Amino acid sequence: MPELPEVETIRLALNTLVLGEEILSYRLLRDDFVRGGHEHASELAHARIIGTQRKGKLLAIHLSNQIVLLHHFGMSGRMLLSRASDPIPLHTHVQMIFDSGLELRHTDPRRFGYAALVPQTELPTFPAWKNMGPDALYITPAQIRNILAGRTRPVKALLLDQYLIAGLGNIYVDEALYRARIHPATPCNQIPTQATKKLVRAIHAVLLESIAAGGSSTNDYQRLDGTLGEFQNKHGVYRRHGTPCRRCGHKIERWVIGGRGTHFCPLCQKGVN
DNA sequence: ATGATTTCCTGTAGGC
DNA sequence: TGCCTACAGGAAATCA
């Protein structure tokens, strides 16, 4: 599922491959895949791609006509760059055909993702954009301390809340807690200051390493060119339940915490240290 | 206000 | 082998 590192991998690839491209034709194959109306869809012909931006798991593509294309990939979403003559994959909801003969496609079988066309001036008021907490890649120890303070929910559930901290999903929350040696069920207000520093370092490290590896291809995620990421091979706990911990050899467990499958090593992540 | 639960959707894994 | 059911999960909505 595309989380921060996967979206960032897509964004970096777009920067090298489609910056400056001119849109010949923009097609929405499903109206209900678009949030906030599609009245700007007819204004995109001849617009050029002038920049990209990422906030949490949201990708923003800036166009020369002051329109911003937002893409959220939910859990089964893909952004693929193909030749316009290549066959259209099943569940393609958005097509962007460029004058170079390239075509950008947003496909998403489960449709938990979406696209949006927002005038640049309205981007700060777009709900998902506006309500997002600080980006996990740049979050500071002080910000994490404020977020954890006074809350009783399990730290696992809290780190998944995009309103509080943006960009982490199920994979990277489990991996960051494993690196920080924090048990995912620990109530937030029971994590001492010392451990929050370790947590921030763990979050930054796991995100940066995954970006460098092109993201995690566990289920559906592919890079812009259709190749798989590599970081799933480096996972310490995610979907490794029943197999030995790479640090201590104890069997990795899987619990449901906050309604999500949660993977951890009961020996390495005993307490909050 | 906070937190817990339900809902959307389809491909896949597991059981029989 | 093939059918059927349960499950996966991000985020918004709904409920307590």
Side-chain angles (χ1 to χ4, degrees):
Chain A
M1 63 219 87
E3 306 178 20
L4 189 156
E6 289 74 31
V7 178
E8 183 69 1
T9 299
I10 292 170
R11 190 186 75 79
L12 293 170
L14 287 173
N15 270 353
T16 58
L17 295 172
V18 303
L19 221 53
E21 289 280 350
E22 178 184 338
I23 296 175
L24 282 188
S25 161
Y26 180 88
R27 296 181 191 159
L28 294 171
L29 283 73
R30 284 192 74 105
D31 280 354
D32 64 1
F33 194 68
V34 178
R35 278 201 200 174
H38 55 272
E39 68 264 26
H40 298 291
S42 57
E43 305 166 13
L44 301 190
H46 306 303
R48 286 183 184 278
I49 293 183
I50 59 171
T52 63
Q53 193 180 1
R54 181 194 56 74
K55 189 173 179 184
K57 303 175 194 171
L58 249 188
L59 173 70
I61 300 174
H62 291 259
L63 302 181
S64 56
N65 63 350
Q66 313 282 71
I67 298 287
V68 182
L69 306 176
L70 293 177
H71 292 269
H72 195 293
F73 299 103
M75 66 168 292
S76 58
R78 278 179 191 162
M79 189 73 104
L80 293 172
L81 187 65
S82 315
R83 306 293 312 174
S85 52
D86 290 341
I88 312 287
L90 209 57
H91 308 297
T92 296
H93 310 311
V94 182
Q95 288 175 271
M96 232 180 293
I97 303 164
F98 300 120
D99 64 344
S100 63
L102 292 175
E103 179 177 329
L104 199 57
R105 296 155 174 173
H106 185 163
T107 74
D108 187 354
R110 268 164 263 191
R111 280 187 271 143
F112 280 15
Y114 60 88
L117 298 88
V118 186
Q120 197 171 12
T121 52
E122 295 174 22
L123 185 58
T125 66
F126 187 80
W129 189 271
K130 178 184 64 177
N131 295 330
M132 218 179 283
D135 194 272
L137 196 52
Y138 310 109
I139 201 160
T140 65
Q143 284 175 314
I144 278 273
R145 267 200 307 282
N146 285 336
I147 289 167
L148 296 174
R151 291 176 202 269
T152 57
R153 298 160 77 188
V155 62
K156 157 84 182 200
L158 186 117
L159 293 176
L160 284 173
D161 191 336
Q162 305 299 300
Y163 179 81
L164 299 171
I165 173 172
L168 299 177
N170 218 25
I171 296 174
Y172 297 102
V173 169
D174 284 4
E175 292 300 320
L177 289 173
Y178 173 68
R179 287 185 185 220
R181 298 178 183 258
I182 297 171
H183 194 293
T186 311
C188 293
N189 57 6
Q190 288 180 27
I191 298 178
T193 303
Q194 195 54 37
T196 63
K197 287 182 188 163
K198 278 169 67 176
L199 179 57
V200 170
R201 278 200 295 271
I203 289 170
H204 290 164
V206 76
L207 293 177
L208 288 170
E209 285 174 35
S210 182
I211 292 168
S216 300
S217 292
T218 49
N219 278 346
D220 303 286
Y221 171 72
Q222 295 178 358
R223 289 189 261 207
L224 201 61
D225 60 2
T227 59
L228 301 181
E230 308 281 345
F231 197 66
Q232 66 279 4
N233 303 317
K234 306 271 180 61
H235 288 176
V237 286
Y238 185 76
R239 296 220 177 147
R240 294 198 63 242
H241 49 294
T243 68
C245 170
R246 291 184 167 141
R247 282 196 303 233
C248 75
H250 196 284
K251 198 189 275 189
I252 301 297
E253 288 191 14
R254 182 185 184 276
W255 290 6
V256 174
I257 299 175
R260 296 284 169 247
T262 301
H263 315 75
F264 66 102
C265 172
L267 215 61
C268 291
Q269 297 167 262
K270 250 191 166 75
V272 294
N273 296 327

